[in-house]
């Protein structure tokens, strides 16, 4: 499959004529070829987005109902195409088809539907003043939004940004990951088919250093919304400072998943397993630090290891695959490095710790689900994001120690608490320094509920009405109602 980019309502190759191959990480097959864009293409896309925004026939509040109608149709188009989109997503990212077809693509459609419902209801507030005046706020779109997304949930994370940004009346230039740009281009096809005005939604494919940095430094881009690694987020803030970009960052994590002795053990094991190994651990919210209360240490560990051993490693398109392929050789080497480092720093591997032996998966970047114990909370594998199927299990005694261990992190994205004592669950939720706390669940994202990081996990929020706020700016309007006004200069 050969793709072009979608810029200003037209399909185009990159100005430099370069292309890049999109490879299935599970078997090395070429899935597609896409343009390898750089500054010139970004320039064209930003100009198109700027013109569409300034023309006012998309961005004005008068068009909110038509924006809502279009976003609803985008949701329908995604839903009608779930099977094909899920397959494309799994092929290029290596993630199991059961995840893309049951979760990712549907949730992307939910996101467009949710913001379609909100598009015509974005309002400000009346400001009470102790004088004869009417004061109120308006929430207006920001302008051109540059969006940069990672490889692990390609369409879904794009939808988290595109849907609220467009609902609020902004225009968009989206740069997907160089590994997984296909579904963003498929989304552009839907926008074209549905008659979304030219320039409102643009997709430019390319690498971070070239296309990504050109987008971040472009002076006609009003805001950058980024999801990716914390180190890249820092770089984006530095680059964005020159043009004072508004910036939203969704970054890395090292989620604590806390299992109390009074939990429903079977539920907790299922939830912890999902948090640990979903998407082969390439998840920002992965529950990679599993804290288990001493009283149930043996029972939990036995059940957890038993279930881990049963996880099926396989090709992303096989329906019985639980653990797919990591995205690249580089990512595989990073995982191998951390496993070595964990052992060097005193950790003990209870299962996994190597690439699978099966010849079926020899052609990809697969790694066995790996469980460490005896790891100090300061060890690198406890503190740094590995982004692979590697977790540490640590014991604790009581709430105080659980809170201290869980909060001992530079990150603060999401975490879980397993207990049948709801008061304890709520106390823990308040004490954890995290943007999301699940009590008796893990990994669950709903479009209605805000999501984002404390600490080094980011700034700003996605989803919920909070994301709409992040894609609008506030204007205050003061209307004088006094007949007699005292001016400083008469
Ligand atoms: P990455 O930071 O390497 O790349 C993400 C995107 O940024 C890609 O599109 C890439 O091309 C682009 N990019 C890279 N360098 C850039 C630069 N200098 N300027 C502009 N753009 C640049 O991340 P990744 O490896 O694709 O994804 C994994 C990371 O993403 C993990 O750290 C994970 O925790 C994080 N993540 C966070 C969330 C969240 O919501 N908080 C969700 C998913 C992934």
């Amino acid at each position: 499959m050969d793709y072009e980019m979608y810029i200003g309502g037209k399909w185009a190759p990159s100005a430099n004529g370069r292309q890049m191959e999109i490879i299935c990480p599970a078997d090395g097959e070429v899935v597609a070829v896409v343009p390898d864009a750089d500054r010139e293409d970004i320039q064209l896309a930003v100009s198109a987005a700027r013109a569409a925004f300034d023309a006012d026939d998309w961005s004005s509040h008068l068009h909110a109902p038509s924006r809502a109608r279009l976003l609803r149709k985008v949701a329908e188009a995604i839903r009608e195409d779930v099977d094909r989109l899920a397959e494309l997503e799994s092929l290029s990212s290596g993630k199991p088809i059961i995840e893309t077809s049951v979760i990712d693509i549907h949730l992307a459609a939910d996101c467009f539907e949710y913001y379609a419902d909100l598009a015509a209801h974005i309002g400000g507030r009346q400001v009470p003043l102790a004088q004869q005046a009417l004061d109120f706020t308006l929430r207006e779109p920001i302008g051109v939004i540059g969006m940069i997304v990672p490889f692990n949930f390609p369409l879904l994370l794009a939808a988290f940004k595109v849907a609220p940004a467009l609902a609020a009346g902004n225009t968009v230039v989206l740069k997907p990951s160089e590994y997984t740009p296909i579904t963003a281009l498929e989304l552009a096809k839907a926008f074209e088919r549905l008659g979304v005005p030219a320039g409102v939604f643009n997709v430019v494919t390319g690498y971070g250093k070239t296309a990504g940095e050109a987008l971040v430094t472009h002076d006609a881009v009003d805001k950058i919304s980024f999801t990716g690694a914390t180190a890249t987020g820092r770089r984006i803030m530095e680059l964005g400072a020159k043009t004072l970009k508004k910036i939203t960052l969704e970054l890395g994590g090292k989620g604590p998943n806390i299992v109390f002795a009074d939990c429903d053990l079977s539920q907790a094991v299922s939830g912890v397993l999902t948090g640990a190994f979903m998407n082969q651990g390439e998840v920002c919210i992965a529950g990679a630090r599993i804290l288990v209360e001493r009283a149930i240490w043996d029972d939990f560990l036995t059940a957890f290891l038993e279930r881990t051993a049963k996880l099926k490693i396989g090709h992303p398109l096989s329906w019985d695959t639980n653990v797919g392929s990591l995205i690249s050789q580089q990512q595989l080497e990073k995982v191998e490095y951390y496993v070595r480092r964990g052992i060097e720093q005193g950790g003990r591997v209870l299962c996994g710790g190597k690439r699978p032996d099966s010849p079926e998966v020899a052609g990809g970047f697969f790694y066995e689900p790996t469980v460490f114990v005896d790891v100090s909370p300061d060890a690198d594998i406890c503190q740094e994001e590995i982004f692979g199927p590697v977790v540490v299990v640590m014991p604790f005694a009581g709430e105080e120690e659980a809170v201290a261990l869980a909060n001992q992190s530079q990150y603060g994205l999401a975490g879980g608490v397993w207990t049948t004592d709801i008061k304890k669950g709520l106390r823990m939720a308040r004490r954890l320094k995290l943007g999301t706390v699940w009590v008796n669940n893990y990994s669950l994202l709903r479009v209605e509920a805000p999501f984002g990081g404390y600490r080094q996990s980011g700034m700003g929020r996605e989803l919920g009405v909070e994301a709409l706020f992040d894609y609008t700016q506030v204007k205050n309007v003061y209307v004088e109602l006094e007949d007699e006004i005292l001016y400083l200069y008469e």
Side-chain angles (χ1 to χ4, degrees):
M1 263 185 303
D2 251 29
Y3 284 89
E4 293 188 313
M5 296 180 291
Y6 192 59
I7 297 178
K10 296 200 171 65
W11 293 93
S14 60
N16 59 31
R18 282 201 308 266
Q19 293 184 309
M20 50 190 194
E21 286 185 337
I22 304 307
I23 307 284
C24 174
D27 55 23
E29 293 288 317
V30 177
V31 184
V33 175
V34 305
D36 171 7
D38 55 31
R39 192 163 291 276
E40 212 176 314
D41 309 288
I42 289 288
Q43 174 62 42
L44 291 173
V46 172
S47 300
R50 185 83 260 161
F53 185 81
D54 292 343
D56 227 30
D57 49 5
W58 171 263
S59 50
S60 149
H61 74 286
L62 298 175
H63 300 293
S66 56
R67 292 200 297 270
R69 275 193 294 277
L70 276 167
L71 293 180
R72 203 161 287 117
K73 286 187 189 158
V74 173
E76 279 165 28
I78 294 174
R79 275 197 213 294
E80 281 163 11
D81 212 5
V82 169
D83 294 346
R84 199 177 63 90
L85 291 172
E87 194 164 306
L88 287 170
E89 200 81 310
S90 282
L91 272 177
S92 54
S93 65
K95 65 194 295 178
I97 187 85
I98 189 95
E99 288 180 19
T100 48
S101 62
V102 176
I103 305 173
D104 299 13
I105 310 296
H106 284 285
L107 200 50
D110 289 352
C111 193
F112 279 99
E113 239 156 39
Y114 173 67
Y115 288 107
D117 288 345
L118 294 186
H121 303 278
I122 303 172
R125 67 185 179 96
Q126 191 253 324
V127 181
L129 294 182
Q131 60 198 81
Q132 290 297 345
L134 170 65
D135 195 291
F136 61 95
T137 62
L138 299 172
R139 282 205 169 263
E140 298 192 327
I142 294 171
V144 175
I145 317 288
M147 300 179 173
I148 301 178
V149 290
F151 69 81
N152 60 339
F153 292 81
L155 182 66
L156 184 58
L157 294 178
F160 283 7
K161 297 181 187 308
V162 174
L166 293 185
N170 300 282
T171 58
V172 166
V173 177
L174 169 66
K175 194 209 81 66
S177 164
E178 54 273 32
Y179 293 106
T180 54
I182 301 176
T183 44
L185 293 165
E186 291 290 339
L187 183 64
K189 285 187 189 168
F191 274 84
E192 183 189 32
R193 252 190 342 266
L194 296 170
V196 175
V200 163
F201 179 66
N202 307 274
V203 180
V204 179
T205 53
Y207 292 93
K209 270 269 161 240
T210 47
E213 294 207 355
L215 188 57
V216 176
T217 51
H218 199 298
D219 57 8
V221 172
D222 299 291
K223 169 173 172 141
I224 290 289
S225 177
F226 171 75
T227 301
T230 295
T232 317
R234 274 193 204 104
R235 169 93 184 132
I236 283 174
M237 273 199 94
E238 275 168 33
L239 291 173
K242 291 200 186 88
T243 46
L244 273 187
K245 292 272 180 295
K246 294 173 172 59
I247 294 186
T248 295
L249 300 175
E250 291 288 338
L251 307 175
K254 191 80 185 175
N257 209 349
I258 306 167
V259 187
F260 282 100
D262 60 5
C263 71
D264 173 328
L265 190 63
S266 137
Q267 255 192 28
V269 172
S270 298
V272 171
L273 199 70
T274 306
F277 301 122
M278 181 185 173
N279 208 29
Q280 49 295 328
E282 290 174 319
V283 186
C284 54
I285 54 177
R289 292 183 296 145
I290 301 161
L291 311 180
V292 179
E293 199 159 20
R294 282 187 193 280
I296 55 158
W297 175 259
D298 288 340
D299 291 345
F300 176 87
L301 211 56
T302 307
F304 182 63
L305 289 172
E306 220 169 77
R307 299 275 303 274
T308 302
K310 286 190 187 142
L311 293 175
K312 167 94 174 46
I313 303 173
H315 194 280
L317 291 192
S318 299
W319 282 93
D320 59 351
T321 292
N322 303 119
V323 179
S325 167
L326 295 168
I327 191 70
S328 63
Q329 178 68 30
Q330 196 189 358
Q331 190 58 33
L332 176 64
E333 284 168 10
K334 184 174 167 199
V335 170
E336 288 176 326
Y337 161 79
Y338 274 113
V339 170
R340 281 196 307 276
R341 189 86 188 116
I343 295 167
E344 270 164 31
Q345 294 189 325
R348 195 156 50 92
V349 176
L350 293 188
C351 73
K354 62 178 180 58
R355 303 183 62 177
D357 308 318
S358 157
E360 263 175 62
V361 292
F365 309 119
F366 294 89
Y367 201 83
E368 287 186 358
T370 300
V371 178
F372 268 95
V373 289
D374 298 344
V375 179
S376 142
D378 304 321
D380 294 353
I381 60 165
C382 234
Q383 289 300 321
E384 293 171 24
E385 187 186 49
I386 301 174
F387 227 55
V390 180
V391 295
V392 296
V393 189
M394 296 186 288
F396 70 87
E399 278 174 58
E400 286 307 317
E401 196 184 3
V403 168
L405 283 171
N407 285 341
Q408 189 182 336
S409 175
Q410 60 171 321
Y411 294 113
L413 193 55
V417 178
W418 299 87
T419 174
T420 48
D421 177 350
I422 192 62
K423 289 184 187 163
K424 188 199 288 179
L426 290 171
R427 275 197 303 274
M428 291 294 293
R430 286 208 183 256
R431 297 182 70 189
L432 295 175
K433 299 196 187 315
L434 302 166
T436 293
V437 178
W438 293 284
V439 180
N440 296 328
N441 205 314
Y442 203 92
S443 305
L444 184 103
L445 292 189
R446 283 286 171 262
V447 294
E448 299 85 350
F451 171 71
Y454 279 25
R455 297 174 161 177
Q456 306 278 304
S457 288
M459 55 180 74
R461 287 294 176 269
E462 300 211 293
L463 303 179
V465 290
E466 286 79 359
L468 274 183
F469 295 163
D470 274 5
Y471 289 109
T472 56
Q473 48 194 346
V474 175
K475 177 178 282 174
N476 190 70
V477 182
Y478 176 96
V479 183
E480 186 58 76
L481 299 178
E482 284 285 1
D483 291 330
E484 301 284 320
I485 311 165
L486 274 182
Y487 287 107
L488 197 52
Y489 303 109
E490 291 292 349

